[in-house]
Amino acid sequence: MAIASESCLLRLQIAQDASNIIPRFDGGDVAFVAICGVLVFFMIPGVAFLYSGLSRRKSALSLVWAVAASNAVVIFQWWFWGYSLAFSPSATNGFIGDLRSFALRKVLADPSPGSPLIPELLYSFYQMEFACVTVAILMGALAERGRVFPAMVFTFIWMTVVYCPIACWAWATNGWGFKWGVLDYAGGGPVEIASGISGLAYSWALGRRSERELRNFRPHNVSLVGLGTFILWFGWLGFNGGSAFGANLRAIIAIWNSMLAAATSGIVWCLLDFRIERKWSMVGFCSGTIAGLVAATPASGYIPQWAALIMGIVVGAVSNYSTKLKYILRIDDALDLCAEHAVGGMLGLLFNALFADSAIIALDGVNTSAAGGWLNRNWRQLYVQVAYIAACTAYSFVVTALIARALDLVPTLHLRATPEEEMLGMDDAEIGEFATDYIEVRRDYLDWSPLYRTKADSDSDGSPLPPPPPPPASVPMTMATAGDRHGVPDVELRALNGGHAGSGNGAAHHGIGNGNGHGHGHAAAGTLTPISEKAEAKSVS
């Protein structure tokens, strides 16, 4: 009995010592931020579905794979040294951290660099999910021509020399942007500008797709685009709400501002597209919604709700027209990363300079002495924000372009697929699987559904089947690429249509993609009848 009582006293003493050493955190704050981190993780499949729906069906799965695999690479990099390079408290150079927290050593129960309301271990997890989403956005630059394995090598390097330094500038206690008073709530610089401008630089390094691919581009599954957008919207509430680092009123105002900016931006973008096409574009609505959420990322925890409403209107219009930048720059930014993420992030940071309110910032109970923006007569904030935007933009483009060009020179790490692989589709060339099974079916139709001599014939009697009949001499022997009209490669439309190739005539810019051109032409004898002609013939009969 004496030994048992001594053991109980020893355990009680250890518990008391631990309570004196480990800071006490509010369980509600810890649970709230942990759940928000899980919501941010849920954005990863949202990005994957969005990108898959926006691409051609022959390259839809490769983008899902790239997003998923890059997520795994970032998790390892962040644990290995990414968190330390971004948030190490012992580095004082203002540019990048040191290896004090290598492999998350000494990252446990101390108050986090971002807020004393949560432990550093939870903060490292939450910030890791930010990094994962950033790289997932960047993977859109691979669309329809980028090889996935070199992109994974690029991801590890880019995280180390681009994302970690910019995160250090804005959020580390010794970062130059943090000390200078930059207002970046949830990642206008590290997440949005870095992903959008780096995506533009990676697209520049890859080069433009062939004119054939550009001419006949259209999203293959708009339902997936909508699904991905609403998953992102759902997760984004954790992205912006959790950046208050506690269950407080600042988190609620950030969620409200995110909702208002997304809704108004989606409506404005859709109206601008309707002005041209007289159609209510679902892709346009999704593009505007994402642009509004992007702008809310740096601003939602700083500005009042009426300013978020104005911001949504402005970003919906500006990002819509910014989709023309890729034509001016002659860079094939296939999924408009620059127009939506970079431009949206810049606008959100500028709105902080004008409309940041110290009363909103103080709602977390921690940042009670923030200066705010022009609403609080802090005129200096505008040039601070502009300088920060310029630094993030220039650094992201130049360093990403250098990494991509250098990696492209390494044998076996060429960033771009061959022209033959691009025509075949990145799913077949790189993944060996397809987003939907009918893609392979329609490519090898005769192998999948052999021709029988009569109705009674089947493969159950053991007799060999006759070979399929040869194609007409007028039809070239070219493999049909999944995603082309009627299973016939667009490159052969000229031959099939008697010398009149299909052309694209899309007018509106939906922000993601390169127009909605539809091929046209008159079919020659013995060729596939266009769907429109079939409908006309049916109505006549």
Side-chain angles (χ1 to χ4, degrees):
M1 292 293 293
I3 296 175
S5 61
E6 290 179 3
S7 176
C8 291
L9 290 173
L10 180 60
R11 291 177 183 176
L12 181 61
Q13 183 64 39
I14 293 174
Q16 290 175 346
D17 292 343
S19 64
N20 293 330
I21 296 173
I22 301 175
R24 296 187 63 84
F25 301 100
D26 184 85
D29 290 338
V30 172
F32 177 77
V33 176
I35 292 172
C36 287
V38 174
L39 290 177
V40 177
F41 172 74
F42 192 49
M43 294 173 68
I44 302 299
V47 175
F49 287 143
L50 174 70
Y51 286 174
S52 178
L54 289 169
S55 65
R56 281 184 174 86
R57 60 176 59 91
K58 66 179 180 179
S59 299
L61 191 63
S62 63
L63 288 176
V64 177
W65 192 97
V67 169
S70 66
N71 179 67
V73 172
V74 172
I75 290 172
F76 170 76
Q77 192 272 352
W78 196 253
W79 170 84
F80 185 67
W81 62 23
Y83 176 77
S84 187
L85 294 177
F87 294 104
S88 174
S90 58
T92 58
N93 59 66
F95 179 77
I96 192 170
D98 54 27
L99 297 180
R100 179 258 187 191
S101 301
F102 177 79
L104 293 188
R105 291 184 306 113
K106 303 177 183 178
V107 178
L108 285 172
D110 291 334
S112 73
S115 172
L117 300 177
I118 60 171
E120 188 176 11
L121 186 63
L122 175 58
Y123 183 77
S124 66
F125 161 72
Y126 188 71
Q127 288 291 347
M128 178 190 72
E129 295 304 332
F130 275 45
C132 291
V133 170
T134 304
V135 172
I137 295 169
L138 176 56
M139 289 297 104
L142 273 65
E144 304 197 339
R145 65 202 188 279
R147 296 176 61 216
V148 294
F149 177 71
M152 298 305 106
V153 179
F154 169 86
T155 292
F156 189 90
I157 300 171
W158 184 87
M159 276 291 301
T160 301
V161 300
V162 177
Y163 182 84
C164 290
I166 297 179
C168 177
W169 302 351
W171 293 325
T173 52
N174 292 317
W176 66 262
F178 184 87
K179 288 184 173 181
W180 208 27
V182 166
L183 298 179
D184 189 351
Y185 177 66
V191 178
E192 306 301 352
I193 293 178
S195 63
I197 296 298
S198 295
L200 188 71
Y202 198 92
S203 298
W204 171 78
L206 281 177
R208 290 169 58 83
R209 288 169 290 175
S210 67
E211 290 304 316
R212 167 188 173 276
E213 298 288 334
L214 291 171
R215 182 177 65 244
N216 198 39
F217 181 84
R218 62 179 64 84
H220 94 278
N221 191 327
V222 179
S223 294
L224 276 183
V225 175
L227 176 64
T229 298
F230 280 94
I231 290 176
L232 282 172
W233 195 342
F234 178 70
W236 226 303
L237 301 182
F239 197 101
N240 292 345
S243 293
F245 302 118
N248 51 58
L249 283 179
R250 193 182 184 193
I252 305 305
I253 198 73
I255 292 172
W256 254 115
N257 287 341
S258 300
M259 298 294 285
L260 287 169
T264 53
S265 180
I267 292 170
V268 168
W269 192 304
C270 200
L271 287 172
L272 289 174
D273 279 0
F274 181 83
R275 175 180 58 91
I276 296 174
E277 287 195 336
R278 299 298 172 184
K279 303 289 185 183
W280 299 107
S281 168
M282 185 63 193
V283 175
F285 180 80
C286 292
S287 302
T289 299
I290 292 172
L293 290 166
V294 167
T297 298
S300 58
Y302 288 117
I303 64 176
Q305 291 163 304
W306 59 265
L309 189 71
I310 298 172
M311 183 176 68
I313 296 171
V314 172
V315 74
V318 174
S319 291
N320 182 287
Y321 286 109
S322 296
T323 59
K324 295 299 183 184
L325 285 174
K326 62 186 177 187
Y327 301 111
I328 298 172
L329 299 173
R330 295 192 61 79
I331 297 177
D332 185 13
D333 184 8
L335 302 185
D336 283 321
L337 303 185
C338 179
E340 294 204 37
H341 293 277
V343 172
M346 294 174 188
L347 289 173
L349 288 167
L350 290 176
F351 263 74
N352 284 345
L354 303 177
F355 301 110
D357 190 348
S358 58
I360 300 294
I361 304 171
L363 289 175
D364 60 4
V366 176
N367 298 284
T368 56
S369 59
W374 281 19
L375 280 183
N376 302 122
R377 301 181 180 275
N378 181 20
W379 315 116
R380 166 184 176 273
Q381 196 62 44
L382 181 59
Y383 74 75
V384 170
Q385 299 295 104
V386 170
Y388 174 66
I389 291 170
C392 292
T393 302
Y395 185 82
S396 297
F397 189 90
V398 171
V399 178
T400 300
L402 290 174
I403 297 170
R405 285 295 195 183
L407 202 62
D408 195 47
L409 298 175
V410 179
T412 74
L413 291 182
H414 303 301
L415 301 181
R416 182 163 181 168
T418 64
E420 293 77 14
E421 290 173 333
E422 291 179 41
M423 180 177 290
L424 184 64
M426 301 310 297
D427 290 356
D428 203 355
E430 290 267 283
I431 310 300
E433 298 165 344
F434 301 92
T436 46
D437 61 351
Y438 67 83
I439 297 172
E440 189 171 14
V441 165
R442 67 183 251 178
R443 174 177 299 168
D444 302 311
Y445 178 75
L446 294 178
D447 293 339
W448 180 77
S449 181
L451 298 175
Y452 296 122
R453 290 186 293 267
T454 66
K455 286 187 177 180
D457 287 340
S458 69
D459 56 359
S460 62
D461 58 6
S463 60
L465 293 172
S474 60
V475 180
M477 290 292 291
T478 305
M479 178 166 38
T481 303
D484 295 336
R485 289 196 306 120
H486 313 309
V488 179
D490 290 346
V491 75
E492 301 299 342
L493 286 179
R494 183 179 300 277
L496 293 178
N497 293 338
H500 300 286
S503 61
N505 55 12
H509 48 86
H510 289 154
I512 304 179
N514 293 294
N516 281 336
H518 298 278
H520 58 81
H522 301 288
T527 63
L528 293 168
T529 305
I531 295 173
S532 59
E533 295 181 14
K534 289 181 180 179
E536 292 174 5
K538 185 176 181 180
S539 62
V540 170
S541 61

